[in-house]
Amino acid sequence: MDNSIETRTKVPRDFESLRSIIIERKDSMPKRLAQVAAFALANPDEIAFGTTASIAAAADVQPSTLVRLAHHLGYEGFSDLQSIFRERLRDRTLSYEERLITLEQSGIKDEEAGILSGFLSAASQSVNKLAATIETDTFAKAVDVLAAAETIYLIAKRRSYPLTAHLTYAFSKLNIRHQIVASPNGIDGEITRFATEKDAAIAASFSPYAAESLLQAQDLAARNVPVIAITDSAFSPLTACATHWFEVAEADFAGFRSLSASMALIMAFPVAIAERRRKEMIGKPQKTKME
């Protein structure tokens, strides 16, 4: 078999596979290739829409670096690599109505049972993948930071918002002081200004990343407030400002992504923090009253 044909069949033909390959190889890539690869995963829409010249300028590299990256990953050229980002964009920009039509056209015989089975399967895949990849040592270190915080700020927008909504409920039940950054009157920036180095934050955002969440997390980190991030890529903008971060890649069904793994991770934090604080209180010497 011709080597070029064999190589082409092995390169990723979907965005998630490409993302996994880039993350796997990022530490061994030459510096410039790693730079443009990080830019590509953080700005997938720019790669899909842009020209070679505009993308190179935005990534602060030479246009030839884009071609080198494509060849490094096994693609025929940059346009071949760019097609993966364009296909991702097409899938992501399907409206909910279009997703339902696609689902209808999939030929599922028992539609209701098929939909339920599809979402349960996606949830199971997400949780299993997280269980196989999460570093428990990182979780323990994140709990150290959060358990020591006076107030824990909760940052998430759009699809990620349910994560902080659950944390608000759980923290309230466990008497853990917190502040959700989700004001209805647009004063989120003012709320985060109350945070100090004695506090901490949990920030969650998935591609396409919520700009407001990124700005708030970056501002907190710049003021030495520890940030625990939950995101979907090692190249996510959140990782750069995080004290500790967790990569959670959610599976999807018919274009609808699960939050199952993220929610499982989020549910563990309040209990672990409360247990850590309880043990610390037990270990402290009790003060005796003066007679």
Side-chain angles (χ1 to χ4, degrees), residues 34 42 62 65 75 100 102 112 127-128 143 152 169 172 179 184 199-200 207 232 256-257 283:
Q62 295 296 319
T65 307
Y75 294 92
L100 291 175
T102 300
E112 288 74 20
V127 173
N128 287 339
V143 171
I152 301 173
Y169 175 81
S172 297
Q179 173 64 61
D199 301 318
S207 179
D232 56 0
F256 296 93
R257 284 179 291 173

Side-chain angles (χ1 to χ4, degrees), residues 39 46-47 49-61 63 66 78 82:
F39 177 85
E46 173 74 18
I47 302 298
F49 284 121
T51 64
T52 303
S54 68
I55 295 168
D60 194 26
V61 296
L66 302 180
F78 181 67
Q82 189 178 40

Side-chain angles (χ1 to χ4, degrees), residues 220-240:
L220 289 171
R223 293 190 286 112
N224 297 320
V225 179
V227 175
I228 307 302
I230 299 170
T231 189
D232 56 0
S233 169
F235 289 125
S236 164
L238 270 182
T239 64

Side-chain angles (χ1 to χ4, degrees), residues 17-273:
S17 298
L18 172 61
R19 184 179 70 87
S20 297
I21 289 294
I22 290 176
I23 292 171
E24 181 183 329
R25 298 182 184 177
K26 68 183 180 72
D27 292 335
S28 62
M29 283 184 183
K31 181 179 178 180
R32 285 297 184 186
L33 296 192
Q35 177 182 331
V36 75
F39 177 85
L41 292 191
N43 303 274
D45 291 357
E46 173 74 18
I47 302 298
F49 284 121
T51 64
T52 303
S54 68
I55 295 168
D60 194 26
V61 296
Q62 295 296 319
S64 60
T65 307
L66 302 180
V67 179
R68 286 173 52 214
L69 175 64
H71 289 162
H72 181 82
L73 295 171
Y75 294 92
E76 291 186 341
F78 181 67
S79 60
D80 188 21
L81 173 61
Q82 189 178 40
S83 68
I84 308 301
F85 288 84
R86 288 177 175 171
E87 184 66 18
R88 166 202 169 273
L89 188 64
R90 185 192 70 79
D91 292 340
R92 181 173 65 79
T93 55
L94 285 176
S95 68
Y96 273 60
E97 182 64 28
E98 288 171 324
R99 295 178 194 182
L100 291 175
I101 292 173
T102 300
L103 184 62
E104 184 180 327
Q105 294 173 343
S106 65
I108 300 175
K109 291 182 180 180
D110 189 340
E111 187 173 341
E112 288 74 20
I115 291 173
L116 176 59
S117 176
F119 277 107
L120 290 175
S121 177
S124 178
Q125 290 176 40
S126 299
V127 173
N128 287 339
K129 184 173 182 179
L130 179 62
T133 58
I134 193 167
E135 296 179 356
T136 55
D137 183 56
T138 302
F139 180 76
K141 290 177 180 177
V143 171
D144 287 341
V145 171
L146 295 169
E150 291 185 354
T151 301
I152 301 173
Y153 288 77
L154 309 176
I155 300 170
K157 303 291 186 290
R158 301 201 300 258
R159 190 174 73 91
S160 308
Y161 178 77
L163 303 178
T164 49
H166 176 77
L167 281 174
T168 297
Y169 175 81
F171 281 164
S172 297
K173 289 293 186 179
L174 292 167
N175 296 318
I176 298 172
R177 184 183 296 174
H178 64 283
Q179 173 64 61
I180 188 168
V181 185
S183 61
N185 53 355
I187 59 168
D188 288 359
E190 286 78 1
I191 290 173
T192 56
R193 287 176 196 163
F194 286 101
T196 72
E197 295 180 15
K198 296 181 179 180
D199 301 318
I202 297 176
S205 190
F206 307 101
S207 179
Y209 307 106
E212 192 174 359
S213 294
L214 297 180
L215 288 174
Q216 289 161 4
Q218 290 164 353
D219 174 65
L220 289 171
R223 293 190 286 112
N224 297 320
V225 179
V227 175
I228 307 302
I230 299 170
T231 189
D232 56 0
S233 169
F235 289 125
S236 164
L238 270 182
T239 64
C241 62
T243 308
H244 302 291
W245 59 273
F246 300 88
E247 181 182 358
V248 184
E250 299 279 6
D252 75 272
F253 173 65
F256 296 93
R257 284 179 291 173
S258 165
L259 266 180
S260 305
S262 304
M263 188 62 75
L265 175 59
I266 280 296
M267 291 173 70
F269 274 121
V271 177
I273 293 167

